[in-house]
Amino acid sequence: DIDYPFMDKAREVWRANQDAASVYVAAMEKGGFVDCNVAVHGFPVEMPLEAWIDMVRDRMWSTFSEVHFSNAELESGLEEIRTKYP
């Protein structure tokens, strides 16, 4: 799972659209690569909450696209983030 300050709906969207690592391994093997494997490494990031809010408002990931969130839903989600991650 991810450890980002997401509103609940964004977390659901992320999960629904994030393929398992095995999908990518299988694609590489199908492409002729051998002995493929995956190692997941975390990369901690710290930033002011308002900087994160601005990035989400700018829809910096497809998770936050208009396909998943209207402008009103996104703004409501940003308030949820502010409440959950003061």
Side-chain angles (χ1 to χ4, degrees), residues 2-3 5 8 17-18 21 27-28 31 35 39 43 51 53-54 60-62 67 71 73 77 80 83:
I2 54 168
D3 188 22
D8 290 340
N17 291 284
Q18 188 65 36
M28 292 181 71
D35 196 27
F43 184 81
I53 295 285
D54 289 344
M60 50 47 151
W61 281 331
S62 59
V67 170
N71 288 338
E73 290 171 324
E80 180 185 334
T83 300

Side-chain angles (χ1 to χ4, degrees), residues 3-62:
D3 188 22
Y4 291 114
F6 276 6
M7 57 277 225
D8 290 340
K9 183 178 175 188
R11 193 169 302 281
E12 292 170 17
V13 169
W14 177 275
R15 284 183 187 133
N17 291 284
Q18 188 65 36
D19 290 331
S22 60
V23 171
Y24 302 103
V25 169
M28 292 181 71
E29 289 172 341
K30 184 177 179 182
F33 291 91
V34 295
D35 196 27
C36 299
N37 58 67
V38 174
V40 178
H41 301 277
F43 184 81
V45 175
E46 292 184 25
M47 67 174 61
L49 181 61
E50 285 307 311
W52 175 254
I53 295 285
D54 289 344
M55 290 171 60
V56 172
R57 182 179 285 118
D58 289 342
R59 301 175 187 269
M60 50 47 151
W61 281 331
S62 59

Side-chain angles (χ1 to χ4, degrees), residues 7 70-83:
M7 57 277 225
S70 68
N71 288 338
E73 290 171 324
L74 191 64
E75 288 301 319
S76 175
L78 296 177
E79 288 306 312
E80 180 185 334
I81 290 172
R82 283 189 181 99
T83 300

